[in-house]
Amino acid sequence: MSRADFEEVAKPLLDRIRHTLENLLKEAKITIEDIESVEIVGGSTRVPAVKQIVEEVFQKKPMTTMNADESVARGCTLMCAILSPTFKVKEFKIEDCQPYPITLSWQGGVNEDNEVEVFSRWNVIPSTKMLSFYKREPLTVEARYSYPNDIPFSESRIGQYTIEQIQPQPDGTPSKIKVKVRLNRNGIFDVTQASLIETIEEPNAPADEAMETAAASSAQTVENGEAPSATTTTEPMEESAAPSDAAAAGSGDAQAEEKDKDEEGNEKAKAGTAAASKKKKKEIDLPITPRVPGASKKELERLIEQELDMISQDKKEKERSDAKNAVEEYVYEMRGKVDGGEYEKYSDDTTRQKLLADLHTTEEWLYDEGMNQEKNVYVDRLKNLRSLGEPIRTRYTEAESRQHHMQELMKSIQRIDEAIQTYHTKSSDKYAHIDAKDIEKANKVLTDKQSWYDQTANHFHALQTHDDPTILCSRIKQERDTLERECWAILNKPKPKVEPPKEDTSKQQQQQQAPPQQPPPASSGNQNTQSTEQPQQQQPSMEID
């Protein structure tokens, strides 16, 4: 088939592509000049006819620098950079939206509007709106997609939601019902909350008959009004619309006032307004019974149980596979290290040959009857292999670490011995404040550890590589820690503090407690005349620590 024949056969599909791209510009409310570049990311968009349509619609040659996987990865990277405080990128906005408008309808009077489009086309998600109704009895609302022919499935009805336990106000007027509808981040519609606004009269509010009559007459005009109110709220902004005629006029139950009583009604309405301003409002949550197409509660429970069972089976299979892999890994590791590797000299010939035979047998079993065994079978196999292989591994590990621990113990012995020798030779006054009995105690601990070190070194010197050591590295570390703890607790004892002489302190206190000397009084011609001035008040002495 030639390209011309192919494009002729595919012309209806190609026309749909052109129509979609043209509508895209209209729906986005942008012009061709607003577009910087066009990228096609693989698949059928790379067909020359499609590339030509893209270039004709956007008047820009499409670029092919990425495939589908790379474009997703780049988008994820940019979003991560936006969310991270570490990076700073050029700001741009990404909004998810709902491409299908949703209408809410309910049962109302003949002259009432009984439906409203709550979410328009390309409504940003997630989004929430609040609707207000005036009702005396339970309310049933139905949600559906506004244009059934535009959705990619046959059923346009989303579901019905019945709001229960709606009651009129104590004075018989309809209650105000607030209904919250929401599109979640996945574009799924739901009626999430309904509440009744109950008016409660405060104890100190006037309740004379004139005000009650005026309030009742003023409420007659909205009695039985069952259309949604004007206010709807969305996230992140609020919208307001004009109130419907039905909410203002009611459903036919309102009684007309006589013309000659208009003035009296107005006065009573004013009084009723004053009384109503002193009433409190309380929201009462109402139960919502949804009826949406889909699996029943029992079916959902069965599917959830089935899913949990599959998760359990997956976990069991993973544990079985891990146990099998552990056996296979142990076979390959030990065979390479025991037969000519670093473990060879740490096992005698009899044990080594038996272990190699068991490893070979296990390897053949794994690829035959041991291919699909239970977890406990693999665990037992590995346990039997470890009973021969782990002693060899332990000897190797101990031999590799033994020299390091013995050297650390010898260093500790030498440092403590130097400190004790410094005390005895008095070459420094660093340890002169320590009592001789304490030094003798530290010296005894040092002598014991030195003797233990010499015996252990002789033991290791006579030990064969394929023999199990009776003293492990953990014991050597324990002996060193004991030596360090007991000896340095004595040698690091701080010097006593030297206090100042008590005589100097008492003199200082006497000087501070003595009152300051007063200057002699001025002579008035008679040197025998005594001064009549009052002595100054003595200042309190300072406290000296």
Side-chain angles (χ1 to χ4, degrees):
M1 178 182 289
S2 64
R3 178 182 295 180
D5 293 338
F6 168 77
E7 293 178 356
E8 182 65 27
V9 174
K11 188 175 184 304
L13 295 176
L14 298 176
D15 291 341
R16 287 175 56 186
I17 294 173
R18 183 185 298 273
H19 179 70
T20 300
L21 297 179
E22 291 173 349
N23 282 341
L24 178 62
L25 287 174
K26 295 178 182 178
E27 296 287 353
K29 298 179 181 180
I30 60 175
T31 62
I32 297 175
E33 290 74 16
D34 297 328
I35 300 175
E36 181 178 347
S37 63
V38 179
E39 182 85 24
I40 54 179
V41 293
S44 299
T45 60
R46 300 292 177 89
V47 174
V50 177
K51 294 169 67 176
Q52 183 178 355
I53 292 175
V54 172
E55 184 175 358
E56 291 174 356
V57 172
F58 296 107
Q59 298 181 10
K60 289 177 177 62
K61 188 174 182 179
M63 297 187 299
T64 58
T65 59
M66 291 186 296
N67 57 35
D69 295 338
E70 291 171 341
S71 65
V72 173
R74 176 176 291 187
C76 293
T77 305
L78 288 174
M79 181 55 65
C80 291
I82 292 173
L83 298 176
S84 173
T86 307
F87 302 95
K88 185 177 181 180
V89 297
K90 183 179 180 180
E91 294 184 1
F92 62 94
K93 190 176 183 181
I94 299 176
E95 289 183 342
D96 289 333
C97 58
Q98 162 64 270
Y100 310 113
I102 296 176
T103 296
L104 203 66
S105 60
W106 60 96
Q107 186 177 3
V110 178
N111 298 325
E112 293 181 17
D113 295 333
N114 61 349
E115 68 175 24
V116 61
E117 187 176 274
V118 287
F119 296 108
S120 60
R121 184 177 176 87
W122 308 124
N123 195 102
V124 176
I125 58 175
S127 180
T128 300
K129 290 191 177 183
M130 185 74 75
L131 304 176
S132 296
F133 297 84
Y134 292 90
K135 283 289 183 178
R136 290 191 178 91
E137 64 279 338
L139 170 66
T140 299
V141 295
E142 179 177 335
R144 59 178 172 83
Y145 290 106
S146 303
Y147 305 102
N149 296 331
D150 293 345
I151 58 178
F153 38 87
S154 58
E155 180 60 55
S156 62
R157 185 172 59 91
I158 298 175
Q160 286 185 345
Y161 305 85
T162 302
I163 303 170
E164 309 284 355
Q165 301 180 9
I166 298 178
Q167 297 178 354
Q169 294 292 313
D171 58 1
T173 58
S175 298
K176 183 178 181 180
I177 311 300
K178 286 187 176 183
V179 180
K180 181 184 290 187
V181 295
R182 179 172 175 80
L183 282 175
N184 64 12
R185 61 177 61 255
N186 299 314
I188 299 176
F189 176 87
D190 191 18
V191 178
T192 58
Q193 184 182 6
S195 57
L196 183 146
I197 309 300
E198 183 179 8
T199 304
I200 302 175
E201 188 172 343
E202 292 184 346
N204 58 351
D208 54 275
E209 295 182 358
M211 291 185 177
E212 291 181 356
T213 305
S217 62
S218 62
Q220 289 289 337
T221 57
V222 294
E223 186 176 343
N224 292 333
E226 298 179 349
S229 71
T231 306
T232 62
T233 60
T234 64
E235 295 179 358
M237 57 191 304
E238 297 185 356
E239 300 176 357
S240 296
S244 61
D245 296 337
S251 60
D253 294 338
Q255 299 179 1
E257 296 291 337
E258 296 180 5
K259 294 182 180 180
D260 56 349
K261 295 183 179 181
D262 286 346
E263 296 180 0
E264 181 181 357
N266 291 336
E267 293 178 358
K268 293 179 178 180
K270 293 179 181 179
T273 303
S277 63
K278 296 185 179 180
K279 294 180 179 179
K280 298 176 65 175
K281 294 184 179 180
K282 181 176 70 173
E283 290 192 9
I284 302 175
D285 291 337
L286 301 175
I288 303 173
T289 303
R291 290 189 294 274
V292 296
S296 62
K297 184 177 181 180
K298 185 176 181 180
E299 179 68 12
L300 286 175
E301 291 177 353
R302 186 189 67 81
L303 293 174
I304 292 173
E305 184 178 354
Q306 183 179 353
E307 181 183 10
L308 294 176
D309 183 63
M310 289 189 292
I311 293 174
S312 177
Q313 292 295 331
D314 289 344
K315 182 179 179 181
K316 184 178 179 181
E317 175 61 24
K318 182 180 183 301
E319 292 176 351
R320 189 196 71 84
S321 179
D322 291 343
K324 177 185 175 182
N325 292 337
V327 175
E328 187 175 19
E329 181 181 356
Y330 195 81
V331 168
Y332 291 147
E333 179 189 8
M334 293 302 294
R335 184 173 59 187
K337 292 182 177 181
V338 173
D339 189 11
E342 57 264 32
Y343 292 175
E344 183 175 6
K345 64 179 181 179
Y346 294 98
S347 63
D348 58 88
D349 294 338
T350 303
T351 305
R352 183 169 60 254
Q353 294 302 326
K354 186 177 185 310
L355 177 58
L356 291 174
D358 289 349
L359 294 174
H360 179 71
T361 303
T362 302
E363 182 182 12
E364 292 183 346
W365 174 81
L366 277 175
Y367 298 107
D368 189 9
E369 58 179 320
M371 183 66 70
N372 294 298
Q373 296 292 332
E374 295 296 328
K375 174 186 174 182
N376 61 328
V377 178
Y378 296 117
V379 171
D380 292 340
R381 278 274 181 171
L382 183 59
K383 184 178 180 181
N384 293 334
L385 294 176
R386 285 178 177 272
S387 64
L388 292 175
E390 288 309 296
I392 301 175
R393 188 198 299 270
T394 300
R395 296 179 204 130
Y396 170 78
T397 305
E398 287 291 321
E400 291 295 315
S401 304
R402 186 179 301 137
Q403 185 178 1
H404 168 72
H405 287 285
M406 291 293 286
Q407 289 178 352
E408 291 298 317
L409 176 58
M410 176 52 65
K411 290 179 181 178
S412 298
I413 292 174
Q414 292 175 351
R415 286 195 297 267
I416 295 173
D417 183 65
E418 289 177 0
I420 294 177
Q421 293 301 324
T422 301
Y423 174 84
H424 288 303
T425 59
K426 303 185 183 303
S427 58
S428 173
D429 60 349
K430 182 177 181 180
Y431 306 106
H433 62 282
I434 302 176
D435 189 70
K437 294 182 179 179
D438 292 337
I439 292 294
E440 186 63 25
K441 183 179 178 181
N443 190 40
K444 184 177 182 303
V445 175
L446 176 65
T447 304
D448 293 341
K449 299 304 177 186
Q450 178 70 54
S451 176
W452 185 88
Y453 175 86
D454 295 336
Q455 294 175 4
T456 303
N458 294 332
H459 168 73
F460 289 147
H461 183 72
L463 184 68
Q464 300 293 327
T465 57
H466 55 78
D467 293 336
D468 292 329
T470 57
I471 301 176
L472 302 179
C473 293
S474 58
R475 172 70 184 282
I476 303 173
K477 184 177 183 301
Q478 182 180 0
E479 295 292 335
R480 175 178 177 268
D481 293 341
T482 303
L483 173 66
E484 293 271 345
R485 182 177 62 255
E486 295 183 1
C487 291
W488 289 116
I490 297 173
L491 297 173
N492 289 335
K493 188 180 296 184
K495 295 181 179 181
K497 294 183 179 180
V498 179
E499 298 182 358
K502 294 183 179 180
E503 296 180 358
D504 297 340
T505 305
S506 60
K507 290 181 180 180
Q508 202 173 17
Q509 290 179 350
Q510 291 176 2
Q511 292 177 0
Q512 292 182 355
Q513 291 176 359
Q517 297 181 0
Q518 300 294 332
S523 176
S524 57
N526 187 3
Q527 297 181 355
N528 296 328
T529 303
Q530 297 182 355
S531 174
T532 59
E533 294 181 1
Q534 298 293 333
Q536 294 185 0
Q537 185 177 359
Q538 182 177 353
Q539 296 182 354
S541 62
M542 295 178 62
E543 296 181 358
I544 300 177
D545 295 334

